[in-house]
Amino acid sequence: AGYTNDSAEYNGSTWTVGNDMNNTCRSRSAFGIQTAAIGANAYLSGSQASTVAESYNGTSWTAITATGTARYFGSGFGTQTAGVSCGGRNPPVTTLTATEEWDGSSWTAGGAIPASRQLAQGYGTQTAGAILGGGRGYPTYTQDGNQQDYNGTTWTTSAALGTARSNGMGGGTTNVDGGFLGGGQAVSGGNAVTNTEEFVAVGTATTKTITTS
């Protein structure tokens, strides 16, 4: 029923109140760690898709350069100085393929996602990142059942989820080391799922020589 600019921090056992964000909003593309984070884009109260962005240093939020594409329901991954905001929605009818990269001071256009999507879970780094699932299409959304990998330039489809879904929660280190996705919606507007899926990369074959004595 309302929007908030509250933030909260977790120390491994408890939550504490953090300082307020500059923007009262929802549905951001976020990335980074507790002491070096970015909140990009948003659905602002009384508005719609926005380009606003801000950074967090563990104590306070500071406005940063706006993104080039207005969106909400987007995905984010990376670090405070090398991150990505991608996909999402710019109403009334558009789901997006646009990708933008953040270098710590400015946003630049990146490679387009193969198919538009919103509410996908992002994880990884700017050059080894991924998005899991997501919804696409309007007004009837279909749930995507794939992981899309990003190498800093282009996107590729790397693996199929067992359950196509959007609006889930997950994480991971890189698309090489693997990640996970839990919960979400199997059908837009309902049918929440509880299962969790883990992605384990195949890896690269290597040849090693063993010398015995």
Side-chain angles (χ1 to χ4, degrees):
Y3 296 74
T4 182
N5 63 352
D6 294 344
S7 66
E9 299 178 359
Y10 187 65
N11 65 5
S13 60
T14 58
W15 291 91
T16 57
V17 176
N19 286 322
D20 291 343
M21 294 185 293
N22 293 299
N23 298 286
T24 299
C25 61
R26 64 173 173 87
S27 308
R28 307 200 84 158
S29 304
F31 51 87
I33 61 175
Q34 189 186 75
T35 56
I38 299 290
N41 301 111
Y43 191 107
L44 298 179
S45 178
S47 180
Q48 293 193 24
S50 172
T51 61
V52 298
E54 52 191 302
S55 66
Y56 188 64
N57 62 8
T59 303
S60 58
W61 293 88
T62 304
I64 60 174
T65 306
T67 66
T69 301
R71 73 182 93 215
Y72 65 95
F73 287 160
S75 305
F77 54 85
T79 68
Q80 193 183 47
T81 56
V84 170
S85 178
C86 62
R89 185 178 178 190
N90 190 332
V93 297
T94 305
T95 51
L96 302 173
T97 62
T99 297
E100 290 189 70
E101 298 179 1
W102 172 250
D103 64 4
S105 61
S106 60
W107 296 91
T108 57
I113 304 170
S116 63
R117 66 196 61 216
Q118 63 179 31
L119 295 170
Q121 173 64 47
Y123 78 90
T125 66
Q126 189 182 75
T127 56
I131 56 174
L132 295 163
R136 61 173 181 255
Y138 183 87
T140 302
Y141 292 99
T142 57
Q143 311 298 65
D144 192 273
N146 294 306
Q147 171 167 307
Q148 301 286 345
D149 287 347
Y150 190 61
N151 64 6
T153 305
T154 57
W155 293 88
T156 56
T157 301
S158 66
L161 294 167
T163 302
R165 68 184 84 185
S166 65
N167 217 12
M169 184 206 72
T173 51
T174 69
N175 58 22
V176 176
D177 298 320
F180 75 97
L181 177 67
Q185 293 173 300
V187 176
S188 181
N191 294 349
V193 295
T194 60
N195 66 309
T196 298
E197 299 187 49
E198 297 180 358
F199 172 73
V200 180
V202 174
T204 303
T206 60
T207 300
K208 296 184 178 182
T209 300
I210 300 173
T211 302
T212 62
S213 61

